[in-house]
Each structure stands twice: as structure tokens, then as C-alpha cells.
Amino acid sequence: MKRLSVVGALLLAACATPAPSGPGILVLPGTGKTFDQFRGDDNECRVYAYNQIGGPAAGQESKDSATKSALIGTAIGTAAGALLGGGQGAAVGAGVGLAGGSIVGADASRASSGSQQQRYDNAFTQCMYAKGHRVPVAGRYPQDPGGNQQGARQPPPPPPPGQPPADVPPDYRQSK
């Protein structure tokens, strides 16, 4: 019985979602940056982002979350099975607890990994932007009550009637 729970926990840990190993966003080289500069900055920002989410401990956190849930589920299932059905009930309860705990653990591992990926992407984006590269931004224009987008440019108003001021360059003066 103990072997079954240990094997189940190890299988679950092997299926745990790994920590992010790269960005989940597209970044383009900045204006005036060479591709070699971009690659160097990309590598530096990947290291920075990886360290921001906890470095090597980030992957271990995901595995630990999955394993703990499986072990707790097995223990609770064993206790409940023993109370309800004696020795045979304990074995059945352990199996059911392991299965339930594994499902919960896998979900906890996935949630932990998703949060890590978001934090990784945020740190990576900040680093690349600070180095002068182009990063994605959300582009939505608020709408005014009339339904027109504020982002749509209005043409400039016509010039006032009469002669332009004396300091206006000659090419801006109307020809007669």
C-alpha cells in the first residue's frame, strides 16, 4: 500500500507543470538596434526574468505543490477508509485519496505555473522595454458618447482669416 502511494506521488511529481523556460510574448528589436544587440539583451532579460520568479526554486515550487496535494489526499483517504471499512477500507480510501489528491495537485501545479509564467512575462517585458526594444501593448481607444473613437484624428481647424503674422516663414504665406 505504501508503495502504491509513493509510486503515485512520484508519477504526479513527474507530471507537474514545469516553471517557465522562456517568454510567452513577442518582442521585436528596437529602432537602431542590431540583431546581435537584440539577442544579447534577450538572453540577459531571460536570466533576469527567471531570477525574478525565484530561479531554480520556481520549478521545485510547482512539483512540491503537486506532491503535497497527492500525499494529503492519500492520508485523508486512508483515514476515512479505515474509519468506515477497517483495513480493507483503508486501502480503498488510500487509493481514492491518492487519485483525488493527484487531480487537485495537478491543478494546483498548473495554477502555480500559470502565475509564474505571467510574472516571468512581466519581468521580461519590463527588461526588454528598458533596453529600448519594442514590446506589445494593449491598444484600445475609449469611445465617446457619440460613438466616435477618440483615437481617430480630427483635421486641424482652418487658419483664421486675414494676413499671417510677420514671423511666419515665407512658404506658409498665401500667394496672391
Side-chain angles (χ1 to χ4, degrees):
M1 186 58 193
K2 288 182 181 179
R3 288 183 195 167
L4 176 63
S5 58
V6 170
V7 169
L10 289 175
L11 286 174
L12 178 65
C15 295
T17 309
S21 60
I25 58 168
L26 173 69
V27 177
L28 299 172
T31 305
K33 298 273 188 171
T34 67
F35 187 66
D36 288 335
Q37 288 172 321
F38 175 76
R39 286 180 49 208
D41 291 344
D42 180 67
N43 285 332
E44 188 176 324
C45 289
R46 284 174 186 252
V47 170
Y48 170 76
Y50 183 67
N51 289 331
Q52 288 300 107
I53 63 167
Q60 190 60 40
E61 176 186 328
S62 180
K63 289 178 185 174
D64 289 348
S65 174
T67 305
K68 284 178 190 175
S69 294
L71 292 176
I72 290 171
T74 303
I76 291 172
T78 302
L83 287 174
L84 297 175
Q88 187 177 4
V92 171
V96 171
L98 176 61
S102 297
I103 292 169
V104 171
D107 188 52
S109 172
R110 184 185 51 76
S112 173
S113 179
S115 171
Q116 287 176 351
Q117 183 68 52
Q118 185 176 15
R119 291 189 340 238
Y120 182 99
D121 288 348
N122 289 343
F124 181 78
T125 300
Q126 291 169 351
C127 179
M128 290 298 279
Y129 182 77
K131 292 185 176 294
H133 298 287
R134 291 184 279 172
V135 298
V137 294
R140 288 183 25 156
Y141 293 108
Q143 298 218 353
D144 66 9
N148 295 329
Q149 289 187 348
Q150 290 179 342
R153 298 209 178 248
Q154 299 290 330
Q163 288 294 326
D167 60 341
V168 173
D171 59 335
Y172 286 106
R173 295 182 184 270
Q174 290 180 345
S175 60
K176 295 182 181 182

